[in-house]
Amino acid sequence: MANHNSHFDSVAIMAALPNHKFKSTRAVAADEYFGKSALSRWLMSFFFHAVLIKRNPDENDPSAIDLLDAELKNGKSLIIYPEGTRGTDGVMKDFKSGVAVLLKKNPQIPFVPVYLDGFGKVLPKNAYLIIPLVCKVRFGEPVYAKQGDVGEILDYVQSEVQKLQSPDARNNNHFELE
Amino acid sequence: MKIGTHYIPLEVLYTLAVVFGVLIICSTVFAIYHHKAKSTFSKELVVRTKSWWYISLGVSLVVAGPLLPATLVLAYVSFVALREMFSIGYFRESDRAGLFLAYIAVPVQYYLAYHNHYEQFLYFIPAFMFVGIPFILVTAGQIPKIVRSMSLIPSTLILTVYMISHMVLLYHVEFPDYELGGGSLILFLIIVTSFNDVFQFTWGKLFGKHKIMPLISPNKTWEGLIGGIICTTLLAYFMRFLTPLNPMESLIVGFVLALGGYIGGALMSAIKRDLGI
């Protein structure tokens, strides 16, 4: 579960993962945007093992929740941006409820809060130039969603991601935490 | 020593051998210490020594390698310094094109240095970039605070790219009866400046009482500066076997490097303090 400001977000998370986790991790992306061409689909699946979900599904399509639920049951890890779309750098929008539904359905699966710091400046929404800047990926400890209704779980997930927003010891990432 | 057509002077090899010898001793001692103590401090020593290994390997490539990889390493150093400055400099959304152009200047400047286009090298950033970047900023059409960005982006280029790229020019200078080449000169420069830092720090820690600029750099004292300058000047004298300098010249160069090191350190301290780092 991470905040989302840039196309670089998934690149950064994928690059930060150890090799054995990389293979079983899939990024969740919008079909309307990334599924436009066959080339884009192939690139997304090759680099990000992307699960493409539709923002506005037709009646016959399986629901996004079912698709992602099946991936989790299949033992895959998912990169989910609960804000639903890329926002402004440093401002976190309210999370959409889908993640909470997923967590409620899979209470045995923990989530890892991730805060992506600075990527919205490297390549913000609607920008084309990539400006190299120092960015940070802060991973929190894996946590289990507390049982409760969807709203409570959602608040919990958002607060866990927000906790990582302020700089902490991980900013001085020269040393491993004891 | 000759590897293919590439020639590495023995003086450079011996100096690097001493550096790596010290590193091997430090790594071994600190690894044993960390194995026993297992404290945060011992861990820090191990990690710091490891980063010195990377720095020394980079320096070795620059001073002993062929010109192309040496240029690439120095260009990378410039790129990292520029990225660091741009990351902390509070730029506006409308500065993106200007920042991008500044990054483009890195390969251009190092290309000019690599091919020894001396005149173009000298004016590319001070003339072209000082006009080109402000103009690109103007085309973005956002006026508030544009003067700050207009001056800050090209000045950052001077600091991180223009200055550092001069090291590549040392490969092209020729002196009569001097065969060691630019790599030796750069090795001399790096060793003398790094030890200047160590000397000024140590003298300051041991005998420092009278602060020079307490608001800017509270750790810098007259005792540290003077002790550091004397030691650095002497070090340059003893390291002159890497250079074509005669004893008197090496003393002058050592003095200038020590003073330059102090001035550069004070400038960076002030910048860091203003940006709140």
Side-chain angles (χ1 to χ4, degrees):
Chain A
M1 306 290 169
N3 60 324
H4 196 24
N5 296 318
S6 169
H7 287 320
F8 267 95
D9 291 349
S10 299
V11 182
I13 294 181
M14 282 300 203
L17 290 176
N19 228 352
H20 63 281
K21 295 275 181 209
F22 174 77
K23 286 174 194 148
S24 63
T25 303
R26 307 192 64 176
V28 180
D31 190 52
E32 283 86 347
Y33 192 94
F34 292 102
K36 272 188 242 171
S37 67
L39 177 68
S40 159
R41 277 174 174 276
W42 181 81
L43 289 173
M44 286 303 288
S45 90
F46 185 78
F47 287 108
F48 302 107
H49 314 134
V51 188
L52 296 178
I53 56 171
K54 292 196 170 160
R55 283 186 175 138
N56 307 303
D58 299 333
E59 272 179 31
N60 312 330
D61 291 331
S63 83
I65 298 286
D66 291 343
L67 268 175
L68 300 181
D69 192 43
E71 290 294 335
L72 288 176
K73 300 241 152 61
N74 214 358
K76 302 286 182 194
S77 302
L78 296 174
I79 298 175
I80 300 180
Y81 303 106
E83 288 171 280
T85 185
R86 288 168 296 154
T88 326
D89 186 62
V91 184
M92 217 188 294
K93 278 189 280 197
D94 281 342
F95 283 9
K96 295 198 190 284
S97 59
V99 280
V101 177
L102 264 185
L103 285 170
K104 199 172 162 63
K105 278 186 160 192
N106 299 280
Q108 77 289 2
I109 297 176
F111 71 92
V112 179
V114 178
Y115 188 77
L116 297 153
D117 193 355
F119 293 92
K121 292 200 177 77
V122 172
L123 181 68
K125 204 172 182 171
N126 303 326
Y128 297 99
L129 290 178
I130 298 169
I131 310 291
L133 295 169
V134 177
C135 301
K136 302 220 160 74
V137 184
R138 293 197 207 103
F139 288 96
E141 293 289 328
V143 274
Y144 293 91
K146 288 176 188 150
Q147 281 312 299
D149 63 30
V150 168
E152 284 168 13
I153 297 179
L154 198 61
D155 288 345
Y156 180 62
V157 174
Q158 182 144 12
S159 73
E160 285 296 309
V161 175
Q162 234 142 18
K163 263 191 213 165
L164 301 171
Q165 189 165 8
S166 55
D168 63 5
R170 263 157 295 200
N171 256 19
N172 310 318
N173 47 10
H174 306 293
F175 308 107
E176 289 165 28
L177 289 175
E178 297 298 323
Chain B
M1 191 176 78
K2 251 182 127 112
I3 303 170
T5 54
H6 183 63
Y7 165 74
I8 306 172
L10 278 180
E11 285 85 344
V12 171
L13 282 182
Y14 289 147
T15 314
L16 289 177
V18 171
V19 170
F20 282 105
V22 171
L23 275 178
I24 290 171
I25 294 169
C26 287
S27 289
T28 320
V29 171
F30 293 155
I32 295 169
Y33 174 59
H34 179 58
H35 188 73
K36 291 204 169 138
K38 287 209 188 328
S39 65
T40 328
F41 175 67
S42 66
K43 171 118 196 164
E44 190 175 327
L45 283 178
V46 170
V47 175
R48 271 177 197 250
T49 319
K50 206 172 160 191
S51 52
W52 275 106
W53 271 99
Y54 291 122
I55 294 171
S56 307
L57 287 171
V59 169
S60 308
L61 194 58
V62 170
V63 301
L67 183 53
L68 185 61
T71 310
L72 291 176
V73 170
L74 290 171
Y76 179 70
V77 170
S78 276
F79 165 74
V80 171
L82 191 62
R83 187 182 59 184
E84 203 72 30
M85 290 297 290
F86 282 168
S87 302
I88 58 182
Y90 302 112
F91 288 101
R92 309 170 306 157
E93 192 58 39
S94 49
D95 291 337
R96 296 180 60 81
L99 297 174
F100 189 77
L101 185 60
Y103 278 113
I104 300 290
V106 179
V108 176
Q109 178 74 1
Y110 278 90
Y111 173 86
L112 295 173
Y114 178 76
H115 288 289
N116 200 18
H117 297 307
Y118 182 58
E119 285 174 20
Q120 291 88 333
F121 170 92
L122 283 186
Y123 63 63
F124 171 63
I125 289 177
F128 285 4
M129 284 294 127
F130 264 82
V131 176
I133 291 174
F135 180 68
I136 289 279
L137 296 180
V138 169
T139 59
Q142 290 293 321
I143 289 299
K145 300 233 170 181
I146 195 170
V147 176
R148 182 183 182 276
S149 302
M150 273 180 173
S151 34
L152 197 51
I153 300 174
S155 310
T156 310
L157 269 185
I158 292 277
L159 183 71
T160 58
V161 182
Y162 191 65
M163 305 277 197
I164 299 179
S165 62
H166 277 74
M167 281 207 254
V168 180
L169 292 187
L170 287 177
Y171 287 98
H172 299 299
V173 286
E174 281 173 11
F175 300 96
D177 303 327
Y178 176 68
E179 305 282 319
L180 303 187
S184 315
L185 294 176
I186 293 181
L187 186 60
F188 174 82
L189 174 75
I190 293 175
I191 287 182
V192 173
T193 19
S194 330
F195 274 94
N196 175 45
D197 245 27
V198 177
F199 290 144
Q200 296 201 6
F201 177 80
T202 318
W203 277 88
K205 274 273 163 213
L206 291 178
F207 306 104
K209 281 208 178 77
H210 304 88
K211 292 184 172 155
I212 306 176
M213 290 180 278
L215 290 179
I216 295 194
S217 189
N219 293 325
K220 292 213 160 67
T221 57
W222 282 109
E223 291 81 357
L225 176 61
I226 294 166
I229 287 181
I230 294 171
C231 286
T232 307
T233 309
L234 288 176
L235 179 70
Y237 177 82
F238 289 115
M239 297 297 294
R240 71 177 193 283
F241 63 88
L242 289 169
T243 69
L245 305 171
N246 68 32
M248 191 60 208
E249 289 165 344
S250 70
L251 289 173
I252 295 171
V253 167
F255 176 79
V256 170
L257 283 176
L259 201 62
Y262 170 77
I263 293 173
L267 288 178
M268 286 315 290
S269 293
I271 292 173
K272 275 160 64 183
R273 237 151 259 271
D274 188 29
L275 293 171
I277 304 166

